[in-house]
Amino acid sequence: MEEIIRVEGLHKQFGNLHVLRGINMSVAPGETVVIIGSSGSGKSTLLRCINFLEIPTEGRIYIKGELVGRLGKDKKSRQTVMYKEAELCKIRIQVGMVFQHFNLFPHMNVLENVMEGQVSVLKKPREEAKAKALENLAKVGLMDKADQYPSRLSGGQQQRVAIARALAMEPSVMLFDEVTSALDPELVGEVLRTMRQLAGHGMTMLIVTHELGFARAVADRVIFLHDGVIHEEGPPEQVLVNPTQSRTREFLGGFAQFAMADPEGPSKGDRT
């Protein structure tokens, strides 16, 4: 089956800081891939490159089998990939992203927030956008909050609105960048439940998280990123329970409780 995302030889530098150093990976349709690693390992930068919020320094990214950008030569006649902003805008619609901070429009109610991108970017008629917004608010359990403003919502509810907003753009894949890290602990569960439901319905997802119990339960594959390279990857039971690399074991040593039974239910592989 053709991958939705394929990354080849991805490098990203910020001046002298070499954050990503030759990433090769792919994501298949319907797959949930969780990326773990310590702070500064390059996890968020990887997602931002796949969504083209950051332009890769080197390497190629394919979406649905098509190379993003076109091959060309740089000033030193080296082969490179060149990008046009109009093309990247289309890619960002296909590859939805939910961030650590919700970034909702405070002057718009929940329904208007979820409608806005459909109307302004996709140019949908307002009634069609409204129907799609309500459909996705139902998916995240917030139909009853459609008329509320963000300031009246909890952090967990705001994050679920952000997920509904991204889903309403009908992306092929969803990227989640530490979406629970800014939440109070008691609000984390409601967001994770929403993401589990998306995984259960076959949404292709690439997730950066420190919630390792969640990762073990929901992931098809776990990638451990260290110092800008993929240090280990495989099924969650392999990477999280029986890692082969000493650096992975060292990282997991700080999460002694993650292997306890997941409170949200069976793992993705156990669901029918």
Side-chain angles (χ1 to χ4, degrees):
M1 185 180 294
E2 191 173 80
E3 309 102 327
I4 283 187
I5 295 172
R6 186 165 84 254
V7 177
E8 296 181 351
L10 176 63
H11 290 254
K12 180 60 183 179
Q13 291 179 249
F14 298 95
N16 293 325
L17 182 61
H18 203 157
V19 179
L20 299 176
R21 301 187 293 120
I23 300 291
N24 296 289
M25 61 173 291
S26 63
V27 182
E31 189 177 24
T32 299
V33 178
V34 172
I35 301 172
I36 63 173
S38 57
S39 178
S41 61
K43 307 182 301 297
S44 294
T45 300
L46 174 56
L47 290 195
R48 291 175 67 86
C49 284
I50 291 173
N51 185 257
F52 288 91
L53 292 173
E54 298 288 353
I55 301 301
T57 303
E58 184 181 332
R60 302 180 187 183
I61 297 176
Y62 297 80
I63 306 294
K64 293 183 175 179
E66 297 290 330
L67 174 67
V68 181
R70 62 181 179 84
L71 296 177
K73 299 285 187 180
D74 65 14
K75 293 179 180 178
K76 296 182 179 179
S77 297
R78 296 174 299 192
Q79 190 175 72
T80 187
V81 182
M82 307 175 74
Y83 303 99
K84 292 183 177 180
E85 184 60 29
E87 178 187 16
L88 299 185
C89 288
K90 293 178 181 178
I91 292 299
R92 293 178 193 125
I93 293 172
Q94 291 188 61
V95 183
M97 190 160 178
V98 182
F99 301 89
Q100 176 179 343
H101 299 289
F102 329 122
N103 300 320
L104 300 179
F105 295 114
H107 63 288
M108 296 181 180
N109 65 26
V110 165
L111 181 62
E112 291 165 340
N113 265 281
V114 181
M115 289 175 59
E116 178 60 23
Q118 300 179 70
V119 174
S120 62
V121 178
L122 300 182
K123 307 301 182 185
K124 284 186 178 182
R126 291 192 66 83
E127 284 305 309
E128 182 181 342
K130 180 178 180 180
K132 178 61 68 173
L134 290 171
E135 174 188 327
N136 283 285
L137 285 172
K139 287 182 181 178
V140 301
L142 289 175
M143 275 275 285
D144 61 331
K145 302 295 184 182
D147 295 329
Q148 297 286 337
Y149 284 84
S151 62
R152 302 294 301 272
L153 304 180
S154 70
Q157 289 171 333
Q158 290 187 61
Q159 192 60 283
R160 285 151 62 197
V161 173
I163 293 172
R165 178 179 59 186
L167 289 173
M169 303 296 283
E170 300 183 306
S172 299
V173 57
M174 288 277 285
L175 312 180
F176 295 88
D177 186 14
E178 293 281 17
V179 296
T180 61
S181 62
L183 300 178
D184 292 333
E186 65 269 21
L187 301 176
V188 169
E190 64 187 70
V191 175
L192 296 183
R193 279 192 293 274
T194 297
M195 294 168 66
R196 287 186 66 124
Q197 290 165 3
L198 293 177
H201 287 99
M203 170 60 73
T204 308
M205 302 196 297
L206 192 53
I207 303 169
V208 167
T209 185
H210 286 295
E211 301 287 343
L212 299 191
F214 168 76
R216 183 180 180 184
V218 79
D220 295 299
R221 183 158 44 102
V222 174
I223 291 174
F224 174 57
L225 205 63
H226 174 60
D227 202 19
V229 300
I230 294 177
H231 209 62
E232 186 164 359
E233 69 175 303
E237 292 300 313
Q238 173 194 315
V239 176
L240 297 177
V241 182
N242 296 296
T244 61
Q245 302 297 316
S246 59
R247 182 64 189 90
T248 314
R249 292 193 293 271
E250 181 183 341
F251 170 77
L252 293 172
F255 296 87
Q257 299 302 313
F258 89 90
M260 295 173 61
D262 181 64
E264 300 300 332
S267 68
K268 185 173 182 180
D270 294 334
R271 292 197 299 270
T272 58

